Amino acid sequence: MSRPPIDPLPGRIVRADRGPPLPSDAHPYRTIGPFDAGHIPAGLLKTHNLKAGAWGLLTVEAGAIGFCWDDEAGGGCELQVGEVILVPPLVPHHVERRGPVTITIAFWRQPACPGPKAAAPPA
């Protein structure tokens, strides 16, 4: 029986416009930022996506930033201070500076699934 998705930031509204929800067994493994408008890494400003099994939670700490989906559905939004967007794995996206802003991004993943064991080399 699967558990419901977790609320990674209790009390904060998390937008989830695309892809699968954050699984209940996911856990944070890395946080980057805070980045102000002048220090947002260039890779975030061009189309990119998260690897399989990884979700991102982009939080606007101050100001506002444009968030664009670069998949076939397209679209986007302007995220204001206090807003969070859940970015699922493998969905292309980018951010756009639109003035003063500070953002942080927390990366979450599920525990590693045990894979098949490699066969021992022949003797």
Side-chain angles (χ1 to χ4, degrees):
M1 177 168 162
S2 67
R3 297 185 301 186
I6 61 171
D7 181 1
L9 299 169
R12 294 188 84 172
I13 295 174
V14 177
R15 293 180 65 124
D17 299 340
R18 296 283 197 287
L22 190 61
S24 59
D25 60 347
H27 62 278
Y29 69 93
R30 182 176 178 214
T31 299
I32 60 173
F35 301 115
D36 64 27
H39 294 93
I40 295 173
L44 298 178
L45 299 169
K46 58 185 177 183
T47 299
H48 64 283
N49 58 274
L50 298 174
K51 64 185 175 184
W55 284 256
L57 284 167
L58 184 151
T59 302
V60 180
E61 305 291 347
I65 195 163
F67 185 92
C68 301
W69 296 107
D70 296 321
D71 59 0
E72 42 299 325
C77 61
E78 182 164 300
L79 300 170
Q80 303 289 328
V81 63
E83 290 187 301
V84 180
I85 191 164
L86 177 66
V87 183
L90 305 174
V91 180
H93 60 278
H94 71 278
V95 297
E96 296 178 344
R97 288 185 287 240
R98 296 183 177 167
V101 68
T102 302
I103 61 170
T104 59
I105 304 171
F107 297 99
W108 290 60
R109 66 179 166 209
Q110 290 181 278
C113 296
K117 295 188 184 210

